[in-house]
Amino acid sequence: MKTNKSVRGLQYVAAYLGALVSLYPIFLMLTSSLKTNIQILKNPMSLPTSLSFTAYNKLIHQIPFGTYFWNSLAVSVVSVALILLFAVLASFYIARYPFRWNGALFFFFLLGMMIPIKLGIVPLFLLMKQLAMLNSMWSLVSVYTAIGLPLAVLILTGFFRTLPKELEEAARIDGASDFGVMWHVLMPLIRPALGTVMIMNFITAWNDFFFPLIFIQDDLKKTIPVGMLSLFGQYSTDLSMLFAGLTLASVPMIVMFFLASKQFMEGMTAGAVK
């Protein structure tokens, strides 16, 4: 018993140390946003001598950070919503309706995970230009939806296949339609998978720098990663404003993880248990 308690105690110590190491960069980012540039350069690891929100005030008034924030939020939310919509419908059809081309259709979605989309940026740029979608939110939404759909179909199809068909048959006996079976019976049972897909794709869309840099030219349509480039000067960089922007940009990610962390962890481990 003493050996087991000692091992468990060491496990707790290791877990707390790991959490401390993981959270320290966030703490350092927050404290740096409350310092001046001189304090950051002289003592980057020290605590601020006084709480100063000057960097946040400058960030909001000197650059259109609020516009960047809402642009990123709109693109991320719409992309995740479309991914969930299309992935649920496709996964339900593939998993619950056996037909001749079932495997081929599933493999077609998986091909999207095997092809690096950034290698096709030139034809993709020309396609967006022909569709008059350049410098538009929908160019980013369409790309993020295409990127996230294959993995979402893979995860949701696996979850749909683990659900017992007796639930579906009972619902059909009660008069439920195909959509009713999916929405009222099966959807509540795959919430862990939905949470996993939602968090993974929201992080991808929120943090992406490459595609907004290529597709968006208007300053008022830029997302946070590209908009923050204005803080990097040729000869100097306002570090306090930079850390303030990073702090505000991380808030939605932290909130989403706290709200959906349970579903995310269940979705990541449910396949191993089943």
Side-chain angles (χ1 to χ4, degrees):
M1 294 295 293
K2 290 183 179 180
T3 303
N4 292 336
K5 289 182 179 180
S6 300
V7 172
R8 178 161 296 185
L10 291 175
Q11 291 175 344
Y12 279 121
V13 171
Y16 284 126
L17 289 176
L20 182 63
V21 171
S22 300
L23 293 176
Y24 182 73
I26 300 177
F27 173 76
L28 185 63
M29 177 182 65
L30 177 60
T31 55
S32 298
S33 68
L34 302 175
K35 298 178 183 179
T36 63
N37 282 336
I38 297 177
Q39 291 176 342
I40 295 174
L41 293 173
K42 290 180 63 177
N43 298 302
M45 300 297 180
S46 65
L47 295 175
T49 55
S50 61
L51 297 180
S52 174
F53 296 93
T54 304
Y56 292 93
N57 187 46
K58 291 167 59 179
L59 179 71
I60 295 174
H61 290 92
Q62 291 188 10
I63 66 172
F65 183 82
T67 302
Y68 299 154
F69 186 93
W70 290 113
N71 290 341
S72 293
L73 187 63
V75 169
S76 302
V77 170
V78 174
S79 300
V80 171
L82 291 177
I83 290 171
L84 290 177
L85 174 63
F86 295 136
V88 166
L89 294 176
S91 302
F92 175 72
Y93 188 70
I94 293 173
R96 312 305 283 192
Y97 292 92
F99 56 96
R100 184 177 180 181
W101 300 104
N102 190 301
L105 180 61
F106 185 57
F107 182 74
F108 173 77
F109 280 103
L110 297 186
L111 282 176
M113 300 172 58
M114 307 174 191
I115 302 174
I117 191 171
K118 291 181 181 179
L119 292 181
I121 188 60
V122 173
L124 188 60
F125 180 87
L126 297 177
L127 176 62
M128 293 297 175
K129 184 178 180 180
Q130 292 177 354
L131 296 176
M133 293 176 63
L134 284 179
N135 205 31
S136 169
M137 179 188 76
W138 295 107
S139 62
L140 301 178
V141 169
S142 59
V143 171
Y144 295 146
T145 303
I147 293 174
L149 196 57
L151 181 59
V153 170
L154 174 64
I155 295 174
L156 296 180
T157 300
F159 267 77
F160 273 123
R161 285 175 175 172
T162 61
L163 301 179
K165 292 187 177 181
E166 288 77 9
L167 296 174
E168 180 179 346
E169 294 171 355
R172 292 187 185 279
I173 291 175
D174 291 336
S177 61
D178 291 344
F179 182 80
V181 170
M182 182 191 70
W183 183 257
H184 296 291
V185 179
L186 301 183
M187 285 286 287
L189 300 176
I190 64 168
R191 281 185 298 178
L194 295 176
T196 301
V197 171
M198 179 179 67
I199 292 179
M200 294 176 64
N201 288 284
F202 190 90
I203 292 175
T204 300
W206 184 267
N207 292 332
D208 184 57
F209 175 82
F210 181 77
F211 290 108
L213 181 65
I214 300 299
F215 294 147
I216 304 298
Q217 292 82 38
D218 190 349
D219 188 59
L220 295 179
K221 294 182 180 180
K222 293 179 180 178
T223 57
I224 290 178
V226 179
M228 295 286 286
L229 278 178
S230 61
L231 299 180
F232 292 89
Q234 183 177 0
Y235 301 105
S236 64
T237 300
D238 195 329
L239 295 176
S240 60
M241 285 181 61
L242 178 62
F243 282 113
L246 293 175
T247 301
L248 294 179
S250 64
V251 170
M253 307 299 303
I254 296 174
V255 172
M256 170 167 284
F257 183 79
F258 274 113
L259 293 178
S261 59
K262 182 179 179 180
Q263 282 75 18
F264 179 74
M265 296 307 297
E266 289 179 356
M268 294 296 290
T269 59
V273 174
K274 291 180 181 179

